[in-house]
Amino acid sequence: MNPLSTTKLNRLLDKHFLRQLLDHTHWIPSPVSIEIYDSNDTLFFTYGEATACGPVCQSPIVIDNQTIGIIRIQSMQPSDSPAKFWGLLLSSLAQAQWERRCITQDSLTRYRELALLYQLGDKLDSCLDPAELAEIVLSEVHRFIRAQAGSLLLVCPYTEKLSVVASYDSGETGGQLTPAASRLAHLVFATGKPEVIDDARLDPRLAAASRGWEPLLCVPLKIDNRILGVLNLGYKAGEFCFSAADMKLTEVIAAQAAKAFETARLFKEMENMAYAIILAAGATIDERDACTAGHSTRVAAISLAIATKLNQMREASPAIKKELPFIKLQEIKYAALLHDIGKIGVPEAVLTKRTRLSQDRMLTIRTRFDFITATTGQSLDEEFSLLAALNELHSLSPADSQSVRNLACRKYTDLSGDLQPFLLPEEAEALCVPRGNLIEQEFRQIQSHAEKSYKILKQIPFPAHLHRIPYIAYQHHERLNGSGYPNGLLTEEILLEAKIISVADVFEALTASDRPYRTPVGTEKALEILFAEAQAGHLDRLVVDTLATLVTGNPQWWNTLIAPLPGTKPKTGAKLPFEEEQV
């Protein structure tokens, strides 16, 4: 609809000015009556005497070849010259005012467009999710261009095919691309040139796909001469077709969108690469011990599930929201994957130790005992059998320890004639460990992995939103009552993310089915142990409660998570290494 048809005369002609103008015009014959009517024949202005008589002359008031009003002059002067003169004069005045209004309106429109484009730039710059970016672009295009239908298509970098990532429709297509619109999108993608189609039926390239009158506007999303996708619009509200100005504005929006999508793509690629490196680092540590392969991945999955649930609880409850900080899911996922990276600095013999003494050391003792038997005639088969059994046990009784010490005190004469103990001091120390299989020095080496993790991760320039990863990994063996390591921190000093990973770490160690040296603990028993540890002040009760809710509420998720890895076969009867069962 042309704006002139809705523009009133009182917006173009000032009545007070007209009256002053007529008052100072001396050649108007008297008596005279002047009336001005708008295009709807509604009286707009009157001047002169109502008693005037004589012929009535009239002249149109014209702007841009459109009549917007009529001036009628009644006087005794038979000539129509005054009416023509005033018609021309008022047309000139209205035309000048109309042009000023158009310039002002155009300036306001351009200013508003620039302001909206600036706001759009801010919105796009603050978003790195392609799906969300597509929704923002279509929302702003709908507001700018007033198209009733729109879709944004991006090209897959691997297949080089277009696919719809977002769409909207105020009409009847339900957000789906019409055949003609789809055909135009592929044409624009192929040529890289924008297209405005007044009616798809009249375009030979689209006529076969057209379902009726369909105005279309399609522009490519280009950056560095690469086409990332296309922006497709249809049916402009209140108009028969799209204008050149619409296409220009859509191109500007598409250019901004292309930059935003390219930034999001590069960020995602870097993020995926970083994640792959982190996964590889975690897997490398796990693979040093085939029995714990997949440990870091499962701990990360458990930690992420707990953190997600806690965030949901936080949003649902103002009381919890006040007490509980928001957990950055990416940060805790990466920290969980890397929490054991410091084990790379732990000797493999200690890290993979399964018995108190290695098989080589037991063979040495067997050879020594055979020598004693050969030189003294005293059989030590019973004593060696005892040592072999104790070597495999997880816990020793005081009597077992005393038997080892008694054997270590016994002496024999070697080939040089020197007295030697049946068991060397380091052998006796290892066999007398009351629980687990690590002597004090070895256990300290295991404990050092937390500090080593911190030192390694501290050297990585994590972005600001991930800067706490080294500290989270550093604290995952701390306990709320200060009994943990390496720094004996108390509950208020331990990060919530570290408390979550602590629970996940212990729970995974208790329940994992890919440990060849023991039967996994059932989930009920594992939760019972965790609750006991929380009661003792070691683990966070809220975190344990949340894990219990997840495990009991979604058994299928948990059963999938703890399934044995391919190529592993759980064994029974063996014990759990000291480090994994210290809780």
Side-chain angles (χ1 to χ4, degrees):
M1 182 179 295
N2 195 296
L4 279 175
S5 61
T6 59
T7 301
K8 301 297 183 182
L9 279 177
N10 58 11
R11 298 180 183 177
L12 300 177
L13 297 176
D14 183 270
K15 293 180 181 180
H16 180 68
F17 175 75
L18 289 178
R19 194 169 300 282
Q20 285 186 326
L21 185 62
L22 291 168
D23 285 342
H24 290 82
T25 303
H26 302 292
W27 55 269
I28 292 180
S30 184
V32 66
S33 174
I34 299 177
E35 295 177 342
I36 299 177
Y37 294 84
D38 64 15
S39 58
N40 296 322
D41 207 27
T42 301
L43 182 63
F44 163 67
F45 176 79
T46 62
Y47 180 84
E49 304 174 16
T51 58
C53 58
V56 176
C57 298
Q58 65 181 31
S59 181
I61 303 173
V62 180
I63 298 179
D64 292 341
N65 298 320
Q66 294 187 45
T67 300
I68 64 169
I70 296 175
I71 181 171
R72 294 173 181 169
I73 300 178
Q74 185 178 21
S75 70
M76 294 302 297
Q77 183 175 345
S79 173
D80 62 353
S81 297
K84 291 182 178 179
F85 170 78
W86 283 101
L88 291 172
L89 179 61
L90 295 181
S91 295
S92 298
L93 292 173
Q95 179 75 40
Q97 182 62 21
W98 170 250
E99 290 176 355
R100 283 194 293 271
R101 288 176 59 84
C102 287
I103 292 173
T104 301
Q105 183 63 36
D106 187 63
S107 298
L108 288 174
T109 300
R110 294 293 176 265
Y111 175 78
R112 185 164 55 251
E113 289 176 353
L114 286 173
L116 291 174
L117 286 172
Y118 180 79
Q119 294 173 10
L120 173 61
D122 281 347
K123 291 179 181 179
L124 296 178
D125 289 344
S126 62
C127 179
L128 291 170
D129 178 54
E132 188 177 345
L133 279 174
E135 294 293 344
I136 292 173
V137 171
L138 286 183
S139 174
E140 295 304 312
V141 165
H142 190 201
R143 186 156 63 114
F144 277 104
I145 311 300
R146 295 181 294 115
Q148 291 182 301
S151 56
L152 196 148
L153 299 84
L154 293 180
V155 62
C156 174
Y158 305 107
T159 65
E160 296 187 353
K161 293 183 178 180
L162 285 175
S163 60
V164 178
V165 293
S167 62
Y168 74 90
D169 189 6
S170 305
E172 300 177 354
T173 65
Q176 300 297 319
L177 274 177
T178 64
S182 178
R183 174 64 178 156
L184 180 61
H186 285 83
L187 287 173
V188 170
F189 175 66
T191 64
K193 297 180 180 180
E195 295 267 6
V196 175
I197 307 297
D198 292 343
D199 188 348
R201 296 174 301 179
L202 305 180
D203 191 301
R205 302 168 301 172
L206 309 177
S210 176
R211 302 188 304 187
W213 174 74
E214 187 177 359
L216 297 169
L217 168 59
C218 187
V219 300
L221 275 65
K222 298 172 64 176
I223 186 167
D224 296 334
N225 294 321
R226 288 187 299 110
I227 301 178
L228 307 183
V230 295
L231 183 56
N232 214 345
L233 305 177
Y235 301 103
K236 183 172 182 179
E239 301 286 344
F240 288 109
C241 58
F242 295 98
S243 66
D246 292 331
M247 184 175 73
K248 187 64 178 177
L249 185 56
T250 307
E251 284 187 284
V252 174
I253 295 174
Q256 285 188 298
K259 292 179 181 179
F261 279 114
E262 182 69 359
T263 300
R265 182 188 67 81
L266 293 174
F267 178 82
K268 189 64 177 177
E269 286 183 355
M270 292 179 63
E271 188 179 54
N272 289 342
M273 183 176 66
Y275 183 53
I277 292 172
I278 289 172
L279 277 177
T284 300
I285 301 305
D286 289 347
E287 288 298 332
R288 290 193 68 200
D289 181 359
C291 301
T292 59
H295 167 73
S296 296
T297 304
R298 286 191 291 267
V299 169
I302 299 169
S303 300
L304 195 61
I306 296 173
T308 302
K309 184 66 175 179
L310 288 174
N311 279 346
Q312 293 172 351
M313 293 166 56
R314 182 179 180 272
E315 293 302 316
S317 171
I320 296 180
K321 189 172 185 177
K322 186 177 181 180
E323 298 295 329
L324 203 65
F326 178 78
I327 304 169
K328 299 176 184 176
L329 300 183
Q330 189 182 40
E331 187 175 53
I332 193 172
K333 178 174 71 174
Y334 286 4
L337 287 169
L338 296 171
H339 74 284
D340 277 343
I341 195 170
K343 286 183 178 178
I344 199 170
V346 177
E348 188 169 354
V350 174
L351 192 64
T352 60
K353 191 176 184 182
R354 295 289 170 262
T355 56
R356 288 175 168 77
L357 293 176
S358 67
Q359 293 303 313
D360 288 343
R361 177 65 70 164
M362 290 298 295
L363 181 60
T364 299
I365 295 174
R366 173 76 269 182
T367 303
R368 186 186 307 143
F369 280 15
D370 288 344
F371 173 80
I372 295 172
T373 299
T375 56
T376 65
Q378 180 184 4
S379 175
L380 295 176
D381 289 345
E382 184 177 343
E383 286 81 353
F384 184 80
S385 296
L386 173 64
L387 294 182
L390 296 181
N391 192 46
E392 299 287 339
L393 288 181
H394 178 252
S395 300
L396 295 188
S397 66
D400 292 332
S401 299
Q402 188 60 48
S403 297
V404 173
R405 283 191 288 270
N406 291 340
L407 191 59
C409 290
R410 295 170 64 179
K411 306 288 184 179
Y412 74 96
T413 303
D414 63 14
L415 292 176
S416 301
D418 297 327
L419 290 177
Q420 301 291 346
F422 277 31
L423 294 175
L424 299 179
E426 60 270 22
E427 296 170 345
E429 180 187 8
L431 289 169
C432 285
V433 172
R435 183 178 174 84
N437 54 40
L438 300 177
I439 62 175
E440 183 65 25
Q441 179 185 3
E442 292 170 334
F443 182 57
R444 291 191 182 282
Q445 288 178 311
I446 288 288
Q447 285 185 319
S448 71
H449 84 275
E451 186 167 359
K452 286 182 169 66
S453 293
Y454 171 75
K455 290 180 178 179
I456 293 172
L457 297 176
K458 191 66 177 173
Q459 299 178 53
I460 300 175
F462 289 105
H465 66 290
L466 302 175
H467 76 281
R468 296 187 307 162
I469 286 177
Y471 303 95
I472 296 171
Y474 195 19
Q475 297 179 2
H476 80 277
H477 276 296
E478 299 288 355
R479 296 297 179 254
L480 308 190
N481 60 2
S483 62
Y485 65 87
N487 296 313
L489 301 180
L490 297 173
T491 179
E492 63 274 6
E493 301 173 290
I494 305 173
L495 296 170
L496 175 60
E497 292 81 358
K499 296 176 182 177
I500 293 172
I501 294 177
S502 296
V503 171
D505 194 30
V506 174
F507 192 64
E508 195 281 335
L510 291 172
T511 57
S513 58
D514 57 354
R515 304 294 193 269
Y517 44 79
R518 64 163 175 81
T519 301
V521 175
T523 55
E524 291 185 8
K525 179 62 177 177
L527 289 174
E528 181 183 329
I529 294 173
L530 292 183
F531 281 122
E533 291 301 313
Q535 183 67 30
H538 296 159
L539 302 177
D540 188 281
R541 179 57 187 262
L542 177 60
V543 176
V544 174
D545 286 339
T546 305
L547 175 60
T549 301
L550 289 168
V551 172
T552 57
N554 191 356
Q556 184 176 3
W557 163 77
W558 176 244
N559 291 334
T560 302
L561 189 64
I562 63 173
L565 295 177
T568 63
K569 183 178 179 181
K571 298 180 181 180
T572 61
K575 61 181 178 55
L576 183 71
F578 181 79
E579 189 225 352
E580 291 193 4
E581 202 177 76
Q582 59 186 300
V583 176

